[in-house]
Amino acid sequence: MPQYVIYRRVSTAEQGRSGHGLDAQNRDIRLYLENYSAEPFEILGEFEDHLSGKNADRPELAKALEIVRANGAELLVSKLDRLSRDVAFIATLLKDKRTKLRVASMPNADNFQLHIYAALAEQERDFISARTKAALAEAKNKGAKLGGLRDATMQRNIAVQANAKARADKVAQTVLPLRASGATLRDIADALNKSGVETARGGKWQPSQVQRVLKRLAS
């Protein structure tokens, strides 16, 4: 009988964000248990940290891992970045033969695939950061006044735009060829959903979202 120790993590800024909030994590974990786990199963414990993913000192995660290792259970998280945003941390955990990891949103992924995904996600975050800095420098060179509340708002807006553009680039190889072949927005949305590609908030694609992606790719 499979045994699980559930771990959730949010930072203060992410608690209300639908893509990473506790409700979304609970949903993904529930979907995994209902649709992918062998039955019956047992939940040995549930733990939750309210800390940044860059913070390696997480007391609740340490407690969860202690139970996992003591019982040969699996650590169940909703998404890989809820465990950590640090590739080195994830790699060390995956190499630990006493630790079994299960990611609800990637139910069939093995350790090698999880490691690759973590590395790609880190590269994407680094690229988004570089894009944001470049956009801020460009805005400043064009005469935009940076400072105070307006500066913070501008940086936040630029970061959101940069993030959206990076995500659009990520699905470009799927979206653009389909559109060029005459596929409708609905066809493209269905193709993305069938291939397991999630939206920025972890949901299903709709034609309106595909249209926004196409506009970003054309800009």
Side-chain angles (χ1 to χ4, degrees):
M1 179 174 64
Q3 296 178 313
Y4 300 102
V5 178
I6 295 172
Y7 176 71
R8 308 177 187 86
R9 181 189 63 77
V10 289
S11 69
T12 301
E14 290 173 334
Q15 288 185 42
R17 192 179 303 169
S18 60
H20 296 297
L22 291 175
D23 288 344
Q25 292 180 58
N26 288 332
R27 176 204 63 204
D28 290 351
I29 290 169
R30 184 181 68 253
L31 286 173
Y32 171 79
L33 293 173
E34 291 176 353
N35 295 282
Y36 295 95
S37 175
E39 294 184 332
F41 57 80
E42 183 180 7
I43 306 297
L44 299 184
E46 300 187 33
F47 299 86
E48 183 180 307
D49 276 314
H50 289 223
L51 294 165
S52 167
K54 296 180 180 180
N55 190 337
D57 184 16
R58 281 178 273 153
E60 296 304 305
L61 176 58
K63 294 176 186 177
L65 289 172
E66 184 176 350
I67 296 177
V68 165
R69 290 160 178 160
N71 295 274
E74 293 184 72
L75 181 69
L76 177 59
V77 297
S78 64
K79 296 179 185 292
L80 195 56
D81 66 0
R82 296 303 86 198
L83 175 61
S84 178
R85 295 181 184 273
D86 184 347
V87 176
F89 179 87
I90 292 174
T92 299
L93 205 60
L94 292 173
K95 289 179 181 178
D96 186 347
K97 294 182 178 180
R98 301 172 302 160
T99 303
K100 298 178 184 178
L101 175 62
R102 182 67 61 183
V103 179
S105 60
M106 295 184 286
N108 299 315
D110 58 26
N111 283 3
F112 177 74
Q113 291 170 321
L114 291 175
H115 193 169
I116 294 298
Y117 181 86
L120 292 174
E122 184 172 81
Q123 287 183 31
E124 182 182 18
R125 287 192 297 271
D126 290 344
F127 182 76
I128 290 172
S129 176
R131 184 197 290 272
T132 301
K133 291 176 181 178
L136 284 170
E138 183 179 353
K140 187 174 182 179
N141 290 336
K142 289 181 178 179
K145 294 182 178 180
L146 303 180
L149 182 60
R150 180 174 296 178
D151 181 22
T153 300
M154 178 178 288
Q155 291 190 45
R156 184 165 57 251
N157 290 340
I158 289 175
V160 169
Q161 292 171 9
N163 196 354
K165 185 62 167 64
R167 290 185 179 278
D169 292 339
K170 195 173 181 179
V171 296
Q173 291 184 342
T174 300
V175 172
L176 293 179
L178 286 173
R179 191 59 168 169
S181 68
T184 66
L185 298 176
R186 170 59 66 184
D187 292 336
I188 298 172
D190 290 343
L192 290 169
N193 290 330
K194 287 179 182 178
S195 63
V197 178
E198 295 182 339
T199 64
R201 294 186 175 184
K204 297 294 185 181
W205 285 86
Q206 300 297 329
S208 59
Q209 293 167 304
V210 174
Q211 188 173 40
R212 287 196 291 272
V213 166
L214 288 169
K215 288 181 178 179
R216 291 187 183 109
L217 292 173
S219 62

